[in-house]
Amino acid sequence: MSTITAPPDKSTTLHTAWGVKILGWVNVILGAVIFAGGLWLIFLGGSWYYGLAGLGLLVTGIMLNRYMIEAVWVYLLVWLGTLIWAWWEVGADWWAQVPRLVAPTLILILVLACIPALSRRTAKP
Amino acid sequence: MTKFIPIVTTSLLTGAILMGPVSVYAQQSDPAQPPVIQGTQGTSSQGSASQSAEPEGATTQPPTLGQTAQIENDSPPQTNPDQTQPPAGNGDQSRPEDPGSDQSAGQQAATDPTSQTPAAEGQFATASQPLMQVGADWPYWGGDAQATRFSPLSEITPENAAQLEQVFTYHNGDLPKGTAEGKYSPEVTPLKIGDDLVMCSAMNILISIDAATGEENWRFNPGVPNEAIPYGATCRGVSVYTNPEAAEDEACATRVIQGTLDAKLVAVDLASGAPCEDFGENGTVDMWQDIGERVPGWYAVTAPPAIVRGIVVSGAQVKDGQAEDAPSGVVRGYDAVTGDLAWAWDLAAPDQNRNGPPEGEVYTRGTPNMWTTAVADEDLGFVYLPLGNSSVDYYGSNRGEAENEYATSLVALDVTTGEEVWHFQTVRHDVWDYDLGSQATLLDWQGTPAILLPSKQGDIYILDRETGAPLTPVAELADLPKGEIEPGYISDTQPISEWHTLRKDPLQERDMWGFTPIDQLWCRIQFQRANYDGFFTPPSSERPWIQYPGYNGGSDWGSVAVDIERGVIIANYNDVPNYNRLVPRDEVDSQPIHKLGAGENAGANAEGAADPQEGAPYGISVNAGWRNDVTGVPCTRPPYGGIRAIDLETGETLWDRPIGTARRNGPFGIPSYLPFDIGTPNNGGSVVTAGGLVFIAAATDNLFRAIDIETGETVWSTVLPAGGQANPITYEVDGRQFVMVSAMGHHFMETPVGDEVIAWALPRE
């Protein structure tokens, strides 16, 4: 993964671009799965969280694929929503927080790591 | 197959004595030494006291058994003063650890047989016999005769427990071979008598070892074949009986008695391990007699027998879920000396079959059995049987009236007659496999001789021992859902304990779990798809149903421990649901055990995982612990097991905490070594000591630990080489307190198999 301090030579940019692309597709797939399952759960009368979060993740993925910096803001919104929802559901039960917070936070870190690459792309004429 | 192993648990996812006799034990326990008669002066003088009490007791005795005349020859009436047992109570001053003076009133009462020493002529079980005392010894599976699992030993305390060190490890050498692979769940708890520990192995090898060094004294292998393994190779323990009429140096004067997987009662001499020739045929009584077609693995004994007034009482485990036409759940009493049948209690034909079924018939088939450990009440001459459910657990419409009356009940039998005195039912029309698994505990409760009964639903009841009447409040759940399968059968009311329950609140969607949002989401979908109306949701077939608590408890066979000095109950429990579905007959592809070819045996499957329930319109599919089918991770959040201290006076919780760390579990089966208490499923009970400690293994983290009974904090723990799914014990040799547990693993709990019993003690300079 590239870092902010890395020189902007061509190969690094290429790697970063691929990194964003891969994360984009991962988010699209995860988002689609969670969105579909979430719709099913809503249909069964369960929580709306997964439908909404899945949709957010899907949108994040699509935007990452298009190198749109807005992807970061969308995902930040999803993550903050997740945090609030998770606290509302189980509070300080940390074992119960594992499935709610660990994976979304991991994705948050990866999305944030895309910022340099996305900034360069956005800055392009 | 690579499975995503859960963090949590690989598990689900899957003179004391009486007076003289103790010193006799001590003498006899060294086979190399000729027995020395010691301490018998006291015995004979007390014997006359006992005798004088007899007439009074005799008048209150129930009528004798029809069969007795025949057996009389083998078992003379106990009216000869020389043969009469001494009463317990005054204590033997020579005992190193005489708990008599500081025991509760209840224990005093229980050990004082003078008011209950009937010896009507021609009876099988007559006089109450002296009790062995817990302390230096651990003479009963449940510790003392009351099964409190409380020891008066106090050398090891919360302050010094951290210094505990291993003294010895004994390997019994009994590890799974061939078809037994994957079926071992030994659950062994030794007894400590005199200088020795006596125990069985998973395959019923009887063993005596030196209690201080772990050196083997003798072993006796009854040769149980692998095909006899029912659901698991289990022998929870043995019982010891001293024949009051035998001279101390006589062979088998004190004998070790076990029930085996191939349903035999085996008696050997405590001192030498030689089979008792006077007992049955060369020391063996065949419990398959009058049961019907002999199908190995269908009918097996896994629990130590209860011995009351010279009667050995045993039920058997009937492998669950096979067929309605299954071996009987009959509970039988045998003369502890001769092995002759004293009586049989066939709950569907108690009178007809009391002395065995008529020629050509068998005991009533498919009736609820007692697979767990009964507790003996020498004082009243009763034995308390925690009964399971009928053989077909999850469908009830074609059960008999008697089955409905007795299933999942605690039954008090009078061992002098084999007749029922009372019963207390904990589930009406049980279709959840809520067998009573815990041995009940005798205690004195606010002045009344009482019995404490924990259930798999987590309810704790305290009943009057003489009448079965509840002494603590019992409430009724009403208007329970009746479902669509058999609404006419499902009871719309159920009893619950208002005094104390280990059960948690009903599940909600937010209790669903996983490692990631995706498996958590999948579990939420399953939650919403299933039928679930809380506790006692009836079975369903079109959609699965959630059973919570699942059949693993609540409290299971490890039962609870009761600190009678502090007035504290220590209960470890499971907190896991099952995800079940009745499978329509035409979809059932498993075969009942009696139709399987040789060698085929579904013993390694989790109980109920795919059982045919032949004779019922449905088979049963149980996802025990409700694990995600894809990842193997539990669908509900931790903790999956806890341990709790309960005030015996009020029923209030003193402390409650998860038991079991995450150290052994982690993603992809990699141990996480996380020392955090996550609360794992657990199997096996605890010991409490006057020193203020609770000793318990049980959890799937393979730790053995000492917990401060006042605070609930772990003050010492050690890693076992295999799963510690067994009840620990504590005992004393030469003034040094030992604690011991077996590390032998458990297939269903998914802990590693071993063959060790391990002893710890404080260091000696």
Side-chain angles (χ1 to χ4, degrees):
Chain A
M1 191 118 327
S2 86
T3 64
I4 294 165
T5 54
D9 66 74
K10 203 180 168 196
S11 72
T12 310
T13 313
L14 201 66
H15 282 141
T16 313
W18 274 109
V20 172
K21 207 74 177 166
I22 289 167
L23 184 63
W25 277 111
V26 166
N27 282 0
V28 165
I29 292 163
L30 294 180
V33 169
I34 294 172
F35 180 58
L39 285 183
W40 190 3
L41 187 61
I42 291 168
F43 173 73
L44 290 169
S47 168
W48 282 55
Y49 164 78
Y50 296 87
L52 295 172
L55 188 63
L57 199 58
L58 188 62
V59 170
T60 305
I62 292 167
M63 293 172 107
L64 282 175
N65 283 344
R66 298 179 178 189
Y67 300 100
M68 293 164 70
I69 188 78
E70 289 80 2
V72 177
W73 295 106
V74 171
Y75 191 74
L76 216 53
L77 197 71
V78 171
W79 186 81
L80 280 173
T82 298
L83 208 61
I84 293 163
W85 162 79
W87 185 264
W88 171 75
E89 269 208 324
V90 294
D93 182 344
W94 299 113
W95 283 115
Q97 292 292 11
V98 168
R100 291 171 172 85
L101 297 184
V102 172
T105 304
L106 217 72
I107 291 175
L108 176 71
I109 292 166
L110 295 176
V111 168
L112 292 179
C114 291
I115 289 176
L118 293 174
S119 306
R120 277 192 302 276
R121 286 282 181 149
T122 313
K124 269 186 188 170
Chain B
M1 178 171 53
T2 312
K3 258 204 166 174
F4 186 57
I5 307 273
I7 257 199
V8 202
T9 142
T10 51
S11 86
L12 274 194
L13 294 197
T14 59
I17 280 194
L18 21 151
M19 337 243 122
V22 148
S23 39
V24 174
Y25 291 143
Q27 292 299 334
Q28 287 192 332
S29 52
D30 182 351
Q33 227 178 4
V36 178
I37 299 172
Q38 192 187 61
T40 47
Q41 275 86 348
T43 304
S44 56
S45 67
Q46 282 150 355
S48 57
S50 163
Q51 192 202 7
S52 66
E54 278 168 21
E56 181 194 333
T59 59
T60 63
Q61 273 301 300
T64 62
L65 294 172
Q67 200 195 359
T68 48
Q70 172 209 333
I71 312 236
E72 227 173 15
N73 302 331
D74 305 333
S75 174
Q78 302 181 346
T79 48
N80 182 334
D82 294 331
Q83 295 173 329
T84 308
Q85 275 291 290
N90 297 335
D92 180 337
Q93 305 310 323
S94 67
R95 287 277 294 163
E97 193 66 33
D98 177 13
S101 54
D102 53 1
Q103 296 295 303
S104 77
Q107 277 211 327
Q108 288 284 2
T111 53
D112 180 6
T114 50
S115 62
Q116 296 272 344
T117 319
E121 267 186 63
Q123 276 193 267
F124 249 116
T126 52
S128 98
Q129 301 187 359
L131 302 176
M132 297 174 277
Q133 291 291 356
V134 69
D137 286 353
W138 189 271
Y140 300 90
W141 187 76
D144 52 14
Q146 293 76 25
T148 59
R149 284 163 267 276
F150 170 78
S151 168
L153 298 182
S154 58
E155 186 195 357
I156 307 171
T157 64
E159 289 70 40
N160 63 23
Q163 300 164 37
L164 281 170
E165 61 178 27
Q166 192 171 312
V167 181
F168 66 82
T169 297
Y170 169 75
H171 290 263
N172 70 22
D174 187 351
L175 288 165
K177 293 171 196 79
T179 53
E181 205 74 51
K183 295 181 188 172
Y184 262 44
S185 44
E187 302 173 3
V188 172
T189 297
L191 301 184
K192 193 267 187 177
I193 313 263
D195 294 334
D196 303 317
L197 294 156
V198 284
M199 67 196 93
C200 49
S201 75
M203 297 301 284
N204 299 115
I205 303 168
L206 288 168
I207 298 163
S208 166
I209 65 174
D210 186 287
T213 65
E215 276 167 50
E216 188 172 304
N217 298 318
W218 52 255
R219 64 167 54 204
F220 173 76
N221 187 349
V224 173
N226 279 354
E227 62 176 9
I229 299 173
Y231 156 64
T234 300
C235 180
R236 286 185 207 99
V238 299
S239 300
V240 157
Y241 177 72
T242 299
N243 179 0
E245 287 155 30
E248 276 98 6
D249 56 352
E250 219 173 280
C252 285
T254 296
R255 54 190 63 200
V256 181
I257 303 176
Q258 73 165 342
T260 66
L261 294 175
D262 55 355
K264 293 183 172 105
L265 286 176
V266 175
V268 303
D269 184 28
L270 175 69
S272 69
C276 299
E277 287 182 6
D278 53 354
F279 186 83
E281 301 229 342
N282 291 322
T284 299
V285 169
D286 186 5
M287 288 184 64
W288 271 104
Q289 174 151 10
D290 299 324
I291 292 297
E293 187 199 354
R294 193 182 286 258
V295 180
W298 207 355
Y299 189 76
V301 183
T302 57
I307 304 177
V308 199
R309 299 195 181 185
I311 301 292
V312 179
V313 180
S314 184
Q317 172 182 356
V318 177
K319 192 174 160 69
D320 269 348
Q322 302 303 307
E324 282 181 356
D325 183 21
S328 177
V330 62
V331 173
R332 284 171 282 186
Y334 299 88
D335 186 293
V337 175
T338 64
D340 290 325
L341 182 73
W343 44 257
W345 184 66
D346 178 341
L347 60 86
D351 296 325
Q352 180 197 290
N353 292 344
R354 181 154 298 127
N355 300 315
E359 193 68 35
E361 291 183 34
V362 296
Y363 293 109
T364 314
R365 292 181 66 82
T367 49
N369 65 76
M370 179 187 74
W371 55 262
T372 193
T373 314
V375 63
D377 186 340
E378 200 65 44
D379 191 22
L380 294 175
F382 294 171
V383 61
Y384 306 96
L385 317 172
L387 289 196
N389 198 2
S390 297
S391 175
V392 165
D393 284 297
Y394 297 92
Y395 186 83
S397 289
N398 35 13
R399 288 181 194 153
E401 233 172 81
E403 285 178 69
N404 290 330
E405 181 67 29
Y406 288 99
T408 326
S409 292
L410 184 71
V411 180
L413 292 190
D414 184 336
V415 293
T416 61
T417 62
E419 285 172 13
E420 181 215 335
V421 185
W422 55 260
H423 68 283
F424 176 82
Q425 191 167 46
T426 59
V427 184
R428 299 181 186 127
H429 291 191
D430 184 351
V431 285
W432 300 273
D433 198 5
Y434 279 146
D435 294 354
L436 285 174
S438 307
Q439 184 187 31
T441 298
L442 307 184
L443 43 78
D444 177 84
W445 201 73
Q446 304 186 347
T448 307
I451 184 162
L452 181 142
L453 174 69
S455 76
K456 285 199 169 185
Q457 305 93 279
D459 290 302
I460 295 178
Y461 299 99
I462 299 179
L463 312 173
D464 184 318
R465 215 187 287 172
E466 287 183 52
T467 65
L471 298 172
T472 50
V474 176
E476 290 265 300
L477 293 176
D479 298 322
L480 291 165
K482 307 186 78 161
E484 288 164 7
I485 299 292
E486 39 179 354
Y489 181 76
I490 302 295
S491 174
D492 58 1
T493 63
Q494 292 288 357
I496 52 163
S497 172
E498 275 194 320
W499 186 73
H500 193 92
T501 183
L502 303 163
R503 188 171 53 250
K504 304 284 177 74
D505 291 336
L507 294 175
Q508 294 177 288
E509 190 198 299
R510 66 178 56 177
D511 295 318
M512 298 305 106
W513 205 61
F515 270 128
T516 70
I518 293 177
D519 50 343
Q520 189 184 33
L521 169 59
W522 176 236
C523 291
R524 286 178 185 251
I525 290 168
Q526 282 194 295
F527 177 85
Q528 293 291 354
R529 287 179 71 200
N531 285 318
Y532 183 56
D533 298 308
F535 193 29
F536 289 121
T537 298
S540 56
S541 180
E542 226 163 89
R543 294 194 294 169
W545 92 96
I546 296 165
Q547 179 188 336
Y548 180 65
Y551 65 46
N552 223 29
S555 183
D556 203 350
W557 54 264
S559 199
V560 301
V562 183
D563 183 334
I564 46 175
E565 288 182 358
R566 291 180 180 80
V568 176
I569 302 167
I570 298 295
N572 57 299
Y573 57 93
N574 286 295
D575 180 15
V576 285
N578 287 356
Y579 197 77
N580 306 336
R581 180 175 168 253
L582 287 173
V583 184
R585 180 56 55 208
D586 55 12
E587 288 177 38
V588 175
D589 48 15
S590 59
Q591 285 287 324
I593 188 167
H594 59 293
K595 293 186 177 165
L596 291 175
E600 287 180 272
N601 189 334
N605 287 347
E607 196 143 307
D611 285 340
Q613 299 201 137
E614 193 185 68
Y618 300 91
I620 180 69
S621 159
V622 174
N623 177 344
W626 188 8
R627 294 152 78 160
N628 188 312
D629 343 296
V630 183
T631 62
V633 176
C635 261
T636 54
R637 88 272 152 289
Y640 307 103
I643 184 165
R644 185 181 291 189
I646 302 156
D647 187 323
L648 184 57
E649 283 299 302
T650 64
E652 280 164 19
T653 299
L654 300 170
W655 50 260
D656 184 24
R657 50 162 280 193
I659 185 166
T661 67
R663 60 177 290 278
R664 247 196 87 234
N665 310 100
F668 306 105
I670 303 161
S672 71
Y673 295 103
L674 286 175
F676 308 121
D677 279 316
I678 187 169
T680 72
N682 51 89
N683 234 202
S686 64
V687 163
V688 293
T689 68
L693 290 170
V694 179
F695 290 97
I696 184 167
T700 58
D701 59 3
N702 300 349
L703 296 181
F704 182 48
R705 48 181 80 66
I707 295 171
D708 184 335
I709 196 169
E710 301 287 348
T711 64
E713 275 166 40
T714 301
V715 293
W716 170 77
S717 72
T718 186
V719 178
L720 299 173
Q725 282 70 45
N727 284 20
I729 66 170
T730 185
Y731 61 89
E732 191 180 69
V733 180
D734 296 332
R736 188 183 194 192
Q737 183 183 355
F738 290 73
V739 288
M740 166 170 276
V741 74
S742 60
M744 300 186 182
H746 198 288
H747 63 97
F748 177 64
M749 305 300 281
E750 297 176 11
T751 52
V753 172
D755 68 342
E756 287 136 292
V757 288
I758 306 170
W760 294 264
L762 294 174
R764 278 286 147 101
E765 287 84 46

